[in-house]
Amino acid sequence: MARKSILTRLNKVFISITILVILIASIFAYTSQKMHITSDAILHADLPLELAVESMNTSLQAMQTNAALYLLGYEDQKIQYQQNFNALQNIQQQITEKNLLTSTEQIATFNRIHHLSNTLNQQYLTLIFNAYRPADENTAKSIAANLLINTATPLEKIIRMRANDEIKGSQENSDEDELRYDDIPAIQYYLQMVDEAGDMQSAFARYLLNDQYAKQEFDDNAANFLQWLKLLEPLEQDEDEIKDIIYIKQLFQQLVNDGHRLFQLYNPQILASATDAFHNMKSNQIVEIEQQMAVLIKTTSNQVIRQLEDLKDTNMNSIILLAIFAAITIILLISLSFYAKKTIYLPIANLAQSVNALRVGERNIQFKHNDDELGDVFANVAKFQHDLRQLDVLQQNKTVYKRQLELERDKLQQAIEHLTQAQKKLINSEKMASLGALVAGIAHEINTPIGIAVTISSTFDSRVREFVNQAKTGLLNLSDLEVFEQESLEGLSIMQRALDRAAELIHSFKQVAIDQSSEKRREFLLDEMLDEVFNTLKHQIKRSPYNITIDCPPDILLNSFPGPFGQVITNLFNNAILHGFNGADTGEINVKVTHEENSKVKIKFSDNGVGIPIANIDKIFDPFFTTKLGQGGSGLGMNIVYNIVNTILGGDISVHSRNGTTFTITIPIVAPKELPHKESE
């Protein structure tokens, strides 16, 4: 029996659908051709004409805007106007050259628009652009402003000054004749001149506002000013008064000359006439041009509507044919769907179920299918089932090996836990050893002052007994009393110093011991804390040639954990003595504290010992790392320092070794709120 290929059966259906698609495409081609003919007419005649008319309207509106802005004083609008008018003419020329006018009605309307636009242009040029010049108006305004600032105002000021001088002189003058025939007339003439000068300034302003009587009033005010000036001149005989009169004449003459130059240069009536002409053209010629443009657009729109209606009929017929072919296509697609479901989908679904059964562990599935492409897939899946059986055997072996590895892992985990506990015990031992060394050192230090105090007290006891016996037997004399007094005072002074030293050591030990054992948070001055710690450590170098220098500002108040902080300083000190100096003849330990930004404190703990080798510098904070194993070093001191600084004090620590070793510690003034949680030992 011949093999039935799924592809061959599907190709027959696809060929049928392709024939239907070709028929549908033919209908689309016919409709597209019809639309092309119609759209060509619209795009190459009707639409370009309509766009051209809109462009003409835009140019016309721009011409109006140019004329309006020109009347507002923008002289460059004259050039813009000419450019817009040239654009209007170019559009009209393109309409004629491209034969966009397809009817006699359109041609007549277009000719009317062309004639009206040329007439409008002539009127714009004659009545506005050639009649009125904004530059003359700007020059006139500049002259008026200059007259006001440099001529009129100084003139009025000097006249008022002279009037005030005359008023002041009249108040001080006791000569009635001079007062009646000189001072009072002069005051009157000055005040009249001030009024006339002010009226001349007012005439300037009203002339610029197109007051037709302002020019004559300016001349009349100037004549009146000269009249008052002539009456005033015989009365002003003083040298200063004569100089001021000459200056007044100069300013007045300058005011008159510039005023007449302004009147000759600028006539505000021209602007009013040009503005009236603009409004008249806007109401008449421009309205008529816009109406003609509307008529031209309407004729074009009517042609477009007729062409679109014809296209609508063609489109309706195409829709009917497309509906018929679409129904046939749907029937074919439904048939194809049923066929695909029977020959493709259901077998693939069975295949998916079989694959899912393989995934969950089924290994005895029977695969059956026709002799086609999917049959080949089923055969390959059957082979895959065989491979999975072999893989299951390997998986079982893997499970056995995994269990063995888990047992080994548990053993290693227990070993790690034992090591962690051992490390904690060593760290606690290190802390207790440090505290024990502190107790031993303080005891040794206190022994000396206490011994001195005991010796002095026993000596003082025997001396008092001897003194009392001398007093009772009557053998006491004045010299014995003086000797007893001197010896008593000296003994008491020595005993007091010894007891003070013992009290100081006990106080330092007490505070340091409490801090190191309790790890409580409190506020403390950093310099006092450093002094207390080093007081408990100095006994270690009492008979050694080592010096300690502390440079700490006295005003640094920390809110932190003094116990852990003291342990850090103690471990750094011990590290310097044991590893840094290594029994050297001399040594220097320097502690320098600085106040940093962001509320932090930097502490540099330096020694001039042998330093740290480069190979060991990165291991210095590792637990159990020491170069003195078996010689007094446990390898935990610097690890404890690192953990305290980074976890409890909330800071960081770094080390640098060159000509000695420097540990740099940066901690916040206010430590973190909570100590890290301690695990139960």
Side-chain angles (χ1 to χ4, degrees):
M1 183 177 178
R3 179 183 174 108
K4 296 180 180 180
S5 174
I6 297 175
L7 182 60
T8 302
R9 286 174 284 181
L10 291 176
N11 284 338
K12 294 178 181 179
V13 179
F14 289 139
I15 290 171
S16 300
I17 295 175
T18 302
I19 293 172
L20 288 175
V21 171
I22 292 173
L23 292 175
I24 294 172
S26 299
I27 296 173
F28 274 114
Y30 171 75
T31 306
S32 299
Q33 180 64 22
K34 189 69 175 178
M35 292 180 64
H36 175 72
I37 295 172
T38 304
S39 61
D40 186 68
I42 294 174
L43 293 175
H44 292 85
D46 299 331
L47 185 59
L49 178 59
E50 190 170 347
L51 294 175
V53 173
E54 290 295 336
S55 299
M56 286 195 298
N57 188 40
T58 302
S59 299
L60 182 65
Q61 295 296 329
M63 290 165 59
Q64 293 183 65
T65 303
N66 297 142
L69 293 174
Y70 184 80
L71 293 175
L72 292 176
Y74 297 94
E75 194 164 2
D76 60 330
Q77 293 299 312
K78 183 176 182 180
I79 299 175
Q80 296 292 331
Y81 168 84
Q82 190 61 46
Q83 293 176 353
N84 288 320
F85 178 71
N86 292 337
L88 178 64
Q89 287 185 321
N90 290 334
I91 294 170
Q92 293 174 352
Q93 184 177 358
Q94 291 176 6
I95 292 174
T96 304
E97 292 176 352
K98 294 181 179 180
N99 298 320
L100 301 181
L101 303 172
T102 57
S103 66
T104 56
E105 183 182 1
Q106 290 179 344
I107 295 173
T109 304
F110 175 76
N111 291 334
R112 178 64 179 166
I113 293 172
H114 181 68
H115 174 71
L116 289 173
S117 60
N118 288 335
T119 303
L120 179 67
N121 177 58
Q122 292 297 327
Q123 292 181 351
Y124 268 134
L125 294 176
T126 303
L127 300 179
I128 296 178
F129 291 106
N130 295 335
Y132 170 69
R133 294 182 68 251
D136 294 341
E137 182 179 1
N138 294 332
T139 304
K141 291 180 179 179
S142 176
I143 293 173
N146 183 64
L147 283 176
L148 177 64
I149 297 172
N150 299 325
T151 305
T153 300
L155 176 61
E156 186 175 350
K157 183 177 179 181
I158 187 66
I159 295 174
R160 287 187 182 277
M161 185 193 72
R162 294 305 316 157
N164 291 333
D165 288 344
E166 291 295 337
I167 292 172
K168 183 178 179 181
S170 66
Q171 293 174 348
E172 298 174 353
N173 193 359
S174 59
D175 188 347
E176 293 184 1
D177 292 338
E178 184 176 355
L179 184 64
R180 179 180 301 175
Y181 298 108
D182 188 351
D183 293 340
I184 293 177
I187 294 171
Q188 179 184 0
Y189 299 154
Y190 276 124
L191 294 177
Q192 291 293 339
M193 290 166 65
V194 169
D195 291 340
E196 297 300 336
D199 291 340
M200 292 171 72
Q201 296 179 52
S202 176
F204 275 134
R206 287 186 286 107
Y207 180 79
L208 294 176
L209 296 175
N210 198 21
D211 186 351
Q212 56 182 343
Y213 303 107
K215 181 178 179 181
Q216 182 61 43
E217 291 181 2
F218 177 84
D219 292 336
D220 294 341
N221 291 327
N224 292 335
F225 186 94
L226 284 176
Q227 179 182 355
W228 295 115
L229 183 61
K230 289 180 181 179
L231 293 174
L232 179 66
E233 283 186 287
L235 302 179
E236 301 291 59
Q237 300 299 324
D238 186 76
E239 182 178 355
D240 292 337
E241 294 173 347
I242 293 173
K243 288 182 181 179
D244 289 342
I245 291 296
I246 293 173
Y247 182 55
I248 290 171
K249 286 182 178 181
Q250 292 175 352
L251 292 175
F252 172 74
Q253 191 61 43
Q254 181 67 34
L255 180 64
V256 172
N257 293 339
D258 289 343
H260 288 162
R261 185 161 65 92
L262 172 65
F263 297 146
Q264 294 175 359
L265 177 65
Y266 174 66
N267 185 2
Q269 187 62 36
I270 296 176
L271 176 60
S273 300
T275 304
D276 292 340
F278 172 78
H279 291 297
N280 183 55
M281 286 184 287
K282 182 178 181 181
S283 302
N284 297 310
Q285 289 91 334
I286 293 177
V287 171
E288 185 176 358
I289 293 174
E290 290 176 347
Q291 291 174 351
Q292 294 297 321
M293 288 183 180
V295 171
L296 187 58
I297 291 176
K298 185 176 181 181
T299 59
T300 305
S301 300
N302 290 335
Q303 290 183 0
V304 172
I305 292 172
R306 288 194 297 271
Q307 293 168 348
L308 291 176
E309 287 177 350
D310 183 39
L311 182 61
K312 179 181 178 183
D313 295 336
T314 303
N315 189 44
M316 183 59 66
N317 295 330
S318 300
I319 291 174
I320 295 172
L321 292 174
L322 289 173
I324 296 172
F325 287 115
I328 297 173
T329 304
I330 291 172
I331 294 172
L332 286 175
L333 290 175
I334 293 173
S335 301
L336 177 61
S337 175
F338 281 109
Y339 176 76
K341 181 178 180 181
K342 180 180 178 181
T343 60
I344 300 175
Y345 174 74
L346 291 178
I348 290 177
N350 293 331
L351 179 62
Q353 292 177 357
S354 300
V355 172
N356 188 52
L358 289 174
R359 185 179 62 82
V360 298
E362 180 66 34
R363 297 293 183 264
N364 297 313
I365 303 172
Q366 298 296 326
F367 297 98
K368 296 180 181 180
H369 196 266
N370 297 327
D371 186 15
D372 54 18
E373 289 85 351
L374 284 176
D376 297 337
V377 175
F378 274 85
N380 290 327
V381 174
K383 294 178 181 178
F384 178 64
Q385 179 179 237
H386 176 72
D387 295 337
L388 287 176
R389 290 178 186 147
Q390 296 179 347
L391 183 61
D392 289 341
V393 176
L394 296 175
Q395 186 69 27
Q396 293 174 357
N397 295 333
K398 177 183 176 182
T399 303
V400 175
Y401 296 146
K402 182 178 179 181
R403 290 177 181 173
Q404 293 177 353
L405 290 174
E406 287 176 350
L407 292 175
E408 295 297 330
R409 182 198 62 190
D410 294 339
K411 293 179 181 179
L412 290 175
Q413 185 67 31
Q414 292 177 358
I416 291 173
E417 291 177 358
H418 291 320
L419 287 175
T420 303
Q421 293 176 359
Q423 180 182 4
K424 291 180 180 178
K425 291 179 179 179
L426 285 173
I427 290 174
N428 289 330
S429 299
E430 181 75 15
K431 292 181 180 179
M432 296 306 296
S434 176
L435 189 58
L438 174 64
V439 172
I442 290 298
H444 179 76
E445 285 293 311
I446 292 176
N447 185 55
T448 299
I450 292 298
I452 294 173
V454 170
T455 301
I456 294 298
S457 64
S458 61
T459 302
F460 186 65
D461 178 69
S462 62
R463 189 69 183 89
V464 168
R465 292 178 184 276
E466 181 182 350
F467 177 78
V468 170
N469 290 329
Q470 289 180 349
K472 288 181 178 181
T473 58
L475 299 176
L476 182 66
N477 55 36
L478 183 59
S479 61
D480 293 332
L481 179 63
E482 290 176 353
V483 171
F484 175 75
E485 178 184 9
Q486 182 178 0
E487 291 177 349
S488 298
L489 290 176
E490 289 179 356
L492 289 174
S493 175
I494 294 171
M495 186 169 61
Q496 183 66 39
R497 287 198 299 271
L499 292 175
D500 288 342
R501 174 58 179 164
E504 179 184 356
L505 291 172
I506 291 171
H507 174 74
S508 298
F509 166 73
K510 178 175 152 183
Q511 187 62 55
V512 173
I514 290 173
D515 288 337
Q516 290 193 6
S517 61
S518 66
E519 295 186 351
K520 288 184 178 180
R521 181 194 192 99
R522 67 180 176 87
E523 288 187 348
F524 58 92
L525 289 170
L526 184 55
D527 61 332
E528 293 181 358
M529 180 62 190
L530 291 173
D531 289 340
E532 291 172 354
V533 172
F534 279 106
N535 278 337
T536 64
L537 297 175
K538 286 180 180 178
H539 70 277
Q540 298 185 33
I541 59 173
K542 186 174 183 180
R543 293 179 176 82
S544 302
Y546 305 141
N547 294 323
I548 300 175
T549 303
I550 301 175
D551 181 7
C552 177
D555 59 346
I556 297 180
L557 180 65
L558 299 185
N559 185 341
S560 190
F561 301 93
F565 178 80
Q567 189 173 358
V568 168
I569 299 300
T570 300
N571 285 7
L572 292 178
F573 175 83
N574 292 333
N575 188 73
I577 298 299
L578 180 62
H579 299 281
F581 299 145
N582 196 19
D585 295 337
T586 60
E588 295 285 339
I589 294 177
N590 296 310
V591 180
K592 181 174 179 59
V593 180
T594 57
H595 201 164
E596 301 294 306
E597 297 179 352
N598 301 324
S599 300
K600 290 187 177 182
V601 173
K602 180 182 287 186
I603 304 161
K604 286 191 174 182
F605 191 103
S606 306
D607 66 68
N608 62 345
V610 298
I612 302 173
I614 297 177
N616 297 336
I617 198 74
D618 294 332
K619 306 175 185 177
I620 190 70
F621 297 118
D622 293 345
F624 306 112
F625 175 78
T626 179
T627 59
K628 298 287 186 179
L629 188 62
Q631 305 177 29
S634 65
L636 290 174
M638 299 313 298
N639 180 254
I640 292 173
V641 168
Y642 182 84
N643 290 331
I644 289 175
V645 172
N646 284 272
T647 59
I648 298 177
L649 302 182
D652 58 76
I653 182 170
S654 61
V655 60
H656 176 74
S657 181
R658 179 181 294 177
N659 297 327
T661 303
T662 299
F663 290 91
T664 302
I665 302 173
T666 303
I667 59 173
I669 291 179
V670 179
K673 296 297 182 183
E674 298 293 339
L675 278 172
H677 179 66
K678 291 185 178 180
E679 298 180 356
S680 60
E681 297 179 0

